[in-house]
Amino acid sequence: MAMAVAPVESMESLSSDLFYDILRRLDGPTLASAACSCAAFCSISKEEKLWENVCSSMWPSTNREDVRSLISSIGGFRKFYADCFPLIVNKEVTEHQWNNYPEYPEEWTEAEYYGDMDEFESISPSDFVSIVDIRCKDKTICSKVLWGIPNANGFDGWFYNCPFRIDLLTYAVRDDENDGEVTLSVSDGLPPIASMERERKDGKLWQELRDGLRLSWIVVNRKIKQAANLASWSPLGGQRHWPTEKDFVLRFGSVLPAKDILPCQVVECILSMKFRVIHTEGEDFQTTLKLTELSMQLEDMEGSHVNGRNSLLILKKALSCRRSKNYSEVLESCHLYSKVQSELKEEKMRIESRLDRIFILGGISVFVMFWYIIL
């Protein structure tokens, strides 16, 4: 017996509840695209609950009650997604060369060194919140939230003059049901490793880590109500069997603007993730890795660590810089920075090599002249 299907005359004749049920099943990019397709979808897509579900799916740490309150206070989940889904892009790096840095005076007055003190004093380390999620093959393995920046109390403290660094595993607030230990094993999709010698030869575990791990490190400033994702989502590089043969270090990050803050104009935000093999395949154990480090630090073009004071200024500026949903453009920006940085290092080495040769020739000339006068 054939079933009769009632024709749909127009989109407006359908129930808004049906529209909502359709939209709530979409991911963020698809939901944003659907909102542009018709007026009905556009109106319903403004519902905060839809974007709360999207954020909850993409960033599980936003399920926490304190994080939900934070997001509501800075403009809601729709704005949060719009700020944090696109990743930071900075292609201005090609305009800056290390020997073309702006001329800075050899002696600084206090006002010149600290710049606009009113602007800096308006930045407090307690205003920043880090919301971090790690996925492995689309499965969330770690969600951490860090309120403020540790050990940054007091304007005259060591934090402002020492290299900036956040060790998330040391300071992040842990959920009551989470003992703080993050592990990966064969059950999470890792290949079994019989021995480290075998892994050193074929590199299967290293390849799985590079292909499967994803990192999101969102920084929120509660005072100015802005947020940005400082991670590159997938690894930009890494090093296996370092510093020991059981360690695997993956590097994520982004290129941040530092105009009017540092001579190099741009810096690299380096997010390091280190796993250590604690068990290889055996009769009683399966291959297991433990997350031993998850950190953030900023480095300038010459590889020097940025101090705490300048890092706060750079982080604040990064929250309003250009972003892109085009992931290839994001990777291009990061690779461009690495290329220019390598060229600058090579140029610096060539100059130092030429200076060394000049000093050596000068020393030989002085030596010859000395014996020529004596003889």
Side-chain angles (χ1 to χ4, degrees):
M1 181 177 179
M3 293 182 61
V5 179
V8 177
E9 296 180 359
S10 66
M11 292 287 288
E12 288 76 9
S13 65
L14 296 176
S15 167
S16 60
D17 291 337
L18 177 59
F19 287 160
Y20 183 88
D21 189 62
I22 294 172
L23 295 181
R24 73 179 179 85
R25 302 171 187 273
L26 305 180
D27 59 13
T30 310
L31 177 58
S33 298
C36 302
S37 63
C38 68
F41 279 177
C42 180
S43 177
I44 297 174
S45 67
K46 295 177 182 178
E47 289 286 337
E48 273 293 291
K49 188 61 179 177
L50 289 173
W51 294 103
E52 182 178 348
N53 293 339
V54 168
C55 292
S56 174
S57 175
M58 187 162 191
W59 304 296
S61 51
T62 60
N63 286 320
R64 292 174 42 145
E65 187 62 36
D66 54 353
V67 177
R68 288 204 297 266
S69 298
L70 170 67
I71 294 174
S72 298
S73 70
I74 65 172
F77 284 91
R78 187 183 180 199
K79 178 180 182 296
F80 183 79
Y81 179 85
D83 287 342
C84 301
F85 177 73
L87 300 179
I88 292 175
V89 172
N90 193 328
K91 294 187 176 181
E92 297 178 1
V93 60
T94 53
E95 301 176 5
H96 308 293
Q97 302 295 329
W98 76 274
N99 54 349
N100 291 332
Y101 286 168
E103 293 294 331
Y104 281 77
E106 294 182 1
E107 295 184 2
W108 297 74
T109 64
E110 184 176 355
E112 289 173 331
Y113 181 80
Y114 287 107
D116 188 348
M117 292 299 294
D118 292 336
E119 178 187 356
F120 177 65
E121 289 177 352
S122 68
I123 305 175
S124 171
S126 61
D127 294 335
F128 292 92
V129 181
S130 293
I131 303 173
V132 182
D133 293 285
I134 304 175
R135 290 178 177 270
C136 181
K137 297 181 181 294
D138 295 326
K139 175 186 175 183
T140 301
I141 62 171
C142 178
S143 291
K144 299 288 184 183
V145 179
L146 179 64
W147 296 82
I149 297 177
N151 300 327
N153 297 324
F155 179 80
D156 295 325
W158 63 269
F159 167 81
Y160 294 91
N161 298 312
C162 290
F164 172 83
R165 181 182 173 90
I166 297 178
D167 288 303
L168 193 75
L169 297 184
T170 303
Y171 297 106
V173 177
R174 298 180 175 91
D175 297 332
D176 292 337
E177 67 269 14
N178 187 359
D179 62 3
E181 187 172 282
V182 180
T183 59
L184 283 174
S185 63
V186 174
S187 59
D188 296 309
L190 296 183
I193 302 300
S195 66
M196 294 309 301
E197 290 77 11
R198 181 72 177 179
E199 164 59 21
R200 186 180 288 275
K201 292 180 179 179
D202 57 36
K204 290 183 178 180
L205 177 60
W206 172 242
Q207 190 62 44
E208 285 293 330
L209 291 176
R210 293 199 60 174
D211 293 343
L213 285 171
R214 299 292 181 265
L215 172 66
S216 170
W217 190 312
I218 295 172
V219 171
V220 180
N221 187 301
R222 292 183 283 178
K223 180 176 291 184
I224 62 177
K225 301 183 185 303
Q226 290 182 325
N229 197 336
L230 303 186
S232 52
W233 193 234
S234 63
L236 297 173
Q239 194 168 1
R240 61 174 179 157
H241 309 303
W242 187 91
T244 71
E245 69 168 8
K246 293 186 176 182
D247 290 320
F248 297 84
V249 180
L250 295 160
R251 180 177 59 83
F252 303 77
S254 54
V255 180
L256 307 182
K259 189 176 181 180
D260 301 325
I261 300 174
L262 293 175
C264 57
Q265 309 293 304
V266 289
V267 300
E268 183 178 17
C269 176
I270 300 175
L271 308 175
S272 296
M273 182 189 302
K274 183 193 291 184
F275 280 92
R276 173 167 294 176
V277 177
I278 56 176
H279 297 300
T280 53
E281 208 69 15
E283 294 181 359
D284 299 326
F285 299 102
Q286 60 179 0
T287 301
T288 306
L289 279 70
K290 177 182 176 181
L291 180 64
T292 59
E293 179 185 317
L294 185 57
S295 64
M296 173 197 291
Q297 59 188 21
L298 304 183
E299 289 187 1
D300 65 15
M301 193 68 85
E302 295 185 1
S304 300
H305 296 281
V306 181
N307 63 27
R309 174 192 175 276
N310 290 331
S311 294
L312 292 184
L313 294 171
I314 291 170
L315 289 178
K316 181 182 178 182
K317 183 183 285 288
L319 299 184
S320 57
C321 68
R322 178 175 175 256
R323 295 159 222 195
S324 175
K325 298 177 183 177
N326 186 345
Y327 188 61
S328 61
E329 187 178 10
V330 175
L331 290 181
E332 181 184 354
S333 170
C334 296
H335 293 156
L336 196 60
Y337 180 92
S338 299
K339 178 183 177 181
V340 174
Q341 187 181 44
S342 298
E343 291 174 353
L344 298 182
K345 288 181 178 178
E346 291 174 2
E347 178 65 20
K348 188 174 182 179
M349 290 177 62
R350 284 195 292 268
I351 292 175
E352 291 177 349
S353 178
R354 285 196 292 267
L355 290 175
D356 289 342
R357 287 196 294 268
I358 291 173
F359 289 138
I360 292 173
L361 291 174
I364 294 174
S365 299
V366 170
F367 180 78
V368 171
M369 288 293 296
F370 174 77
W371 284 105
Y372 178 79
I373 293 173
I374 291 178
L375 299 176

